[in-house]
């Protein structure tokens, strides 16, 4: 067993998926949760993915060996400040935030070096557009990458334990600096989300089009953008505002490339269009080969699925 008590603060998609892993793989004796949504906390205990819930983040964290912050990143600082006084020396705080520099800036200043509390920033690069404990599932992390961005003087045994937890969820582990993490994620996650948010807004607001027809024929492409654009608004507001510099640079680059495409179409430059589309097809093939696209698996794990019933027996 890796831990005695684990506290999960924020029992949404990521927190509840990790809770399922902790319980099913018997990685700890006890999981205690806190969430601002009382229905979510009750649901977690009902599903038996948590042993108990607490009235505050501090209560949940008392005596914990590991505290996992899995709320939107915007509240990390407030939560770290609140739980610090109840943490014992040797306790580990980890987070799952999608941006790492901001997460570290929010959490680390609340941890005095003499407290003996260890902070290990992490990002399991796995998710869906859904939220809440019923949206989580045991297999969410399987085959995906977990990026750890350790701060200076991190004890190796604590780092190892957090890495073991994610390995148990069948994740592959990478280590990098928070700055590099945020740069890579801006390209592979933040920009694509931003474009989806923008496109869905544009198409939905188009004048002279029947809204019903847009929904009816959405399978021809629009649908796939709505899946990404249907992601949690709080989470994405926090990510985009707090990785601002990198994202603004990428938006500029994207707008330039879009204008180039506009020119290609205007001047009938079919060879240029073909060249770009052919390159994109190759990239798509590489994503599939790297097993980073398996939407079929997501369809198997809907609320009320077998695996939860098994835990709830
Ligand atoms: P989620 O399903 O919305 O879960 C977050 C939970 O935290 C919600 O139940 C929310 O309650 C609760 N919460 C908000 N403020 C809180 C507070 N102050 N104290 C306690 N609970 C609070 O979101 P998620 O998708 O699991 O994302 C959580 C974290 O994972 C984010 O930091 C995100 O960057 C990271 N992440 C997400 C993905 C993804 O694809 N979804 C992937 C990797 C990492 P309310 O709903 O009542 O606000």
């Amino acid at each position: 067993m890796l831990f005695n008590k684990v506290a999960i603060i924020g029992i949404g998609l990521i927190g509840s998926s990790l809770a399922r892993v902790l319980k099913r793989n018997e990685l700890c004796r006890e999981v205690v949760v806190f969430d601002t949504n009382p229905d979510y906390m009750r649901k977690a205990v009902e599903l038996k993915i948590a042993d108990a819930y607490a009235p505050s983040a501090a209560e949940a964290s008392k005596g914990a060996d590991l505290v996992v912050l899995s709320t939107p990143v915007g509240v990390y600082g407030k939560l770290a400040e609140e739980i610090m006084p109840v943490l014992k020396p040797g306790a580990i705080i980890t987070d799952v935030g999608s941006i790492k520099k901001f997460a570290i800036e929010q959490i680390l200043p609340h941890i005095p070096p003499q407290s003996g509390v260890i902070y290990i920033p992490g990002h399991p690069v796995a998710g869906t557009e859904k939220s809440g404990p019923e949206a989580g599932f045991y297999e969410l992390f399987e085959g995906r990458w977990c990026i750890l961005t350790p701060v200076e003087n991190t004890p190796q045994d604590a780092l190892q334990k957090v890495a073991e937890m994610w390995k148990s969820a069948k994740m592959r582990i990478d280590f990098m600096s928070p700055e590099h993490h945020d740069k890579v994620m801006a390209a592979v996650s933040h920009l694509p989300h931003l474009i989806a948010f923008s496109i869905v807004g544009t198409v939905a607001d188009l004048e002279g089009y029947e809204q019903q027809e847009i929904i009816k024929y959405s399978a021809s492409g629009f649908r796939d953008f709505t899946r990404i654009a249907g992601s949690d608004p709080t989470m994405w507001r926090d990510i985009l505002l707090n990785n601002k510099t990198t994202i603004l640079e990428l938006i500029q680059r994207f707008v330039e490339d879009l204008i180039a495409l506009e020119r290609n179409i205007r001047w009938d430059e079919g060879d240029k269009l073909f060249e770009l589309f052919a390159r994109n097809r190759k990239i798509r093939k590489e994503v599939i080969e790297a097993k980073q696209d398996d939407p079929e698996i997501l369809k198997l794990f809907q609320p009320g699925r077998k695996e939860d019933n098994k835990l709830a027996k």
Side-chain angles (χ1 to χ4, degrees):
M1 221 167 252
L2 282 174
F3 307 102
N4 197 13
K5 174 178 171 180
V6 176
I8 300 185
I9 315 299
I11 190 76
L13 171 75
I14 302 293
S16 75
S17 298
L18 178 60
R20 285 168 167 89
V21 172
L22 288 164
K23 294 299 289 179
R24 207 205 272 189
N25 296 2
E26 298 180 353
L27 301 183
C28 64
R29 272 184 230 293
E30 190 186 14
V31 173
V32 178
V33 297
F34 171 69
D35 195 291
T36 40
N37 185 335
D39 290 340
Y40 281 4
M41 294 199 282
R42 280 193 285 270
K43 194 74 207 173
V45 172
E46 192 187 303
L47 291 170
K48 293 202 187 304
I49 58 176
D51 298 286
Y53 58 84
S56 67
E59 281 295 325
S61 308
K62 259 185 200 161
D65 306 285
L66 176 73
V67 181
V68 182
L69 300 182
S70 42
T71 62
V73 288
V75 293
Y76 279 0
K78 193 173 108 340
L79 286 170
E81 185 180 12
E82 189 192 326
I83 64 174
M84 250 330 276
V86 304
L87 294 182
K88 59 186 182 189
I92 302 170
I93 302 177
T94 191
D95 76 282
V96 298
S98 310
I99 40 176
K100 297 283 35 111
K101 192 164 170 287
F102 176 77
I104 294 170
E105 283 165 3
Q106 293 299 301
I107 295 171
L108 202 55
H110 295 289
I111 308 177
Q114 67 276 15
S115 66
V117 171
I118 302 148
Y119 169 43
I120 301 189
H123 177 202
V125 187
T128 72
E129 70 286 9
K130 304 205 174 77
S131 301
E134 289 185 278
F137 55 97
Y138 175 81
E139 293 82 355
L140 176 69
F141 306 113
E142 248 176 49
R144 305 288 188 236
W145 287 94
C146 181
I147 302 175
L148 300 177
T149 63
V151 296
E152 254 179 66
N153 303 322
T154 300
Q156 284 306 306
D157 54 342
L159 188 60
Q160 199 58 39
K161 272 188 169 184
V162 172
E164 282 307 321
M165 176 180 78
W166 290 116
K167 277 188 199 164
S168 177
K170 303 206 176 102
M171 296 202 93
R172 293 178 279 176
I173 311 292
D174 249 352
F175 297 94
M176 60 180 75
S177 72
E179 291 78 13
H180 187 66
H181 167 278
D182 291 356
K183 190 175 157 200
V184 173
M185 286 302 134
V188 298
S189 170
H190 309 168
L191 183 67
H193 274 81
L194 185 114
I195 292 168
F197 292 133
S198 167
I199 279 186
V200 171
T202 304
V203 174
D205 289 345
L206 284 177
E207 284 125 32
Y209 287 81
E210 286 285 336
Q211 188 70 21
Q212 269 174 334
E213 281 192 327
I214 285 176
I215 306 294
K216 185 172 161 189
Y217 300 118
S218 61
S220 45
F222 185 60
R223 173 195 66 189
D224 294 338
F225 282 102
T226 62
R227 185 186 66 72
I228 300 179
S231 299
D232 186 68
T234 311
M235 171 176 145
W236 279 98
R237 178 202 60 197
D238 287 357
I239 292 173
L240 297 176
L241 290 183
N242 293 302
N243 196 16
K244 191 182 275 185
T245 316
T246 318
I247 286 166
L248 289 177
E249 275 171 25
L250 289 186
I251 291 176
Q252 200 172 355
R253 176 63 193 268
F254 170 68
V255 170
E256 281 171 24
D257 287 348
L258 195 61
I259 290 170
L261 262 177
E262 188 187 19
R263 280 182 63 87
N264 296 155
I265 295 170
R266 190 182 308 284
W267 302 111
D268 291 318
E269 294 172 335
D271 50 340
K272 291 197 177 142
L273 291 176
F274 186 87
E275 197 184 315
L276 173 69
F277 301 163
R279 190 155 60 99
N280 290 352
R281 261 198 151 175
K282 206 167 146 262
I283 292 169
R284 172 75 190 149
K285 207 165 152 245
E286 284 171 16
V287 168
I288 294 168
E289 280 165 8
K291 296 195 169 46
Q292 295 304 300
D293 179 77
D294 47 6
E296 289 309 311
I297 195 168
L298 301 181
K299 291 183 199 145
L300 297 173
F301 303 109
Q302 297 301 330
R305 59 209 157 259
K306 272 193 277 158
E307 167 251 326
D308 278 345
N309 298 340
K310 195 158 61 185
L311 281 169
K313 258 182 206 159

